[in-house]
Amino acid sequence: MSPVPLTWLYVPGDRPEVVRKALGSGADVVIVDLEDAVAPDRKGYARAATVELLSDPVAADPVAVPVHVRVHGEDDVKALHGLPGLSGMRLPKITHAASVHHVAALAPGVPLYPLLESALAIEHAYSIAGAHHAVRGVALGEADLRADLGVRDDAGLDWPRSRVVIAARAAGLDPPVMSVFPDVRDLSGLRSSCAHGRDLGLLGRAAIHPRQLPVIERAFRPTAREVEAAEEVLEASRTGVGAQALPDGRFVDAAVVATAERTLSLARRRR
């Protein structure tokens, strides 16, 4: 089984030298951005550079870092479909399941990751998450969502974050990845924000600078105490006597065992 990705690094598609550097950054997934990070007069160049990159046999190596592309429109989807180095498409500003079906028809077989960036998208979160078998994950686009909702701080995003966590789970998808933390210098703030997102059920985070990657990795990996507690739960579950209480008072049943198994699986992922 592939390790759970925790770090997703965005890089602008019109800077191919930066994209290639990002492939060695340690990120679990590199996201080439053809949308917000690229000026309108550079879109064509960014698409051509990305097509060239993903046509490269090295980029298509199955043991290499997966490369996703945040597309800007149909022209991007059509140009990228079928390239050996493409591992997924991130679809910005999706508001309805019909949009997912449209992209899936244009690019059959490509894993899709819709981004929910408006109040309307949040209202349709489950239908988008379950729209098509090609959907492998959903996430928020928090900058646009914050503007749409008029919220002033992270507290206003708690409900949309929880909503997308529930939608993903109900659709049988992995937990959503947190949106980017925009201040690349505030690593303490990033750490605190990741901890809060983890409490809400989000797993992993997108980054816009390599210096954010180690902070995200540590924030979402289980602590030594969490690993120890999970091992104690699994050891107790091997007795086969059903629900029981540990000496420290923790109650162990099937749900607690499942949580412990997820914790240990995450702890065993590659560093």
Side-chain angles (χ1 to χ4, degrees):
M1 180 181 295
S2 299
V4 177
L6 294 182
T7 53
W8 310 63
L9 180 61
Y10 272 101
V11 284
D14 62 340
R15 298 185 64 190
E17 73 286 356
V18 176
V19 175
R20 291 190 179 277
K21 187 175 180 179
L23 294 173
S25 67
D28 294 322
V29 180
V30 168
I31 305 172
V32 180
D33 193 3
L34 301 182
E35 197 213 12
D36 288 346
V38 179
D41 63 349
R42 298 273 290 175
K43 299 288 189 188
Y45 170 72
R47 181 191 308 123
T50 303
V51 167
E52 181 179 358
L53 170 76
L54 299 182
S55 300
D56 185 339
V58 173
D61 186 342
V63 301
V65 179
V67 177
H68 290 200
V69 179
R70 180 162 71 168
V71 297
H72 179 62
E74 281 192 18
D75 288 343
D76 290 344
V77 173
K78 293 175 181 177
L80 295 166
H81 175 238
L83 296 180
L86 180 69
S87 297
M89 288 185 188
R90 301 182 78 80
L91 313 179
K93 299 177 176 60
I94 295 296
T95 56
H96 295 84
S99 299
V100 178
H101 281 278
H102 180 65
V103 176
L106 292 175
V110 177
L112 303 179
Y113 295 79
L115 300 177
L116 286 59
E117 306 184 61
S118 66
L120 183 58
I122 299 302
E123 285 296 296
H124 294 160
Y126 173 67
S127 65
I128 293 170
H132 194 278
H133 62 80
V135 175
R136 304 295 171 79
V138 291
L140 295 178
E142 290 185 352
D144 284 353
L145 181 60
R146 191 189 296 268
D148 191 40
L149 298 177
V151 301
R152 299 174 58 184
D153 55 34
D154 267 13
L157 295 175
D158 279 0
W159 188 85
R161 286 170 171 169
S162 294
R163 178 72 182 93
V164 76
V165 167
I166 292 170
R169 178 60 181 163
L173 303 176
D174 289 338
V177 175
M178 289 190 79
S179 186
V180 300
F181 189 83
D183 188 342
V184 300
R185 298 165 298 179
D186 185 7
L187 299 184
S188 177
L190 171 63
R191 186 179 302 110
S192 176
S193 177
C194 287
H196 183 60
R198 186 181 177 197
D199 288 342
L200 293 175
L202 298 155
L203 183 62
R205 188 162 203 162
I208 53 176
H209 194 283
R211 71 166 60 103
Q212 296 178 313
L213 300 177
V215 177
I216 295 169
E217 174 83 19
R218 287 193 297 269
F220 286 98
R221 284 181 67 95
T223 65
R225 179 65 192 109
E226 289 170 334
V227 170
E228 181 183 356
E231 290 172 341
E232 291 169 353
V233 166
L234 292 188
E235 181 62 29
S237 72
R238 295 188 184 104
T239 64
V241 298
Q244 57 187 296
L246 296 178
D248 62 5
R250 283 178 293 152
F251 184 74
V252 177
D253 63 5
V256 174
V257 170
T259 299
E261 289 173 340
R262 285 196 298 271
T263 296
L264 294 180
S265 176
L266 189 58
R268 289 191 293 264
R269 62 175 255 113
R270 70 168 176 83
R271 292 186 181 274

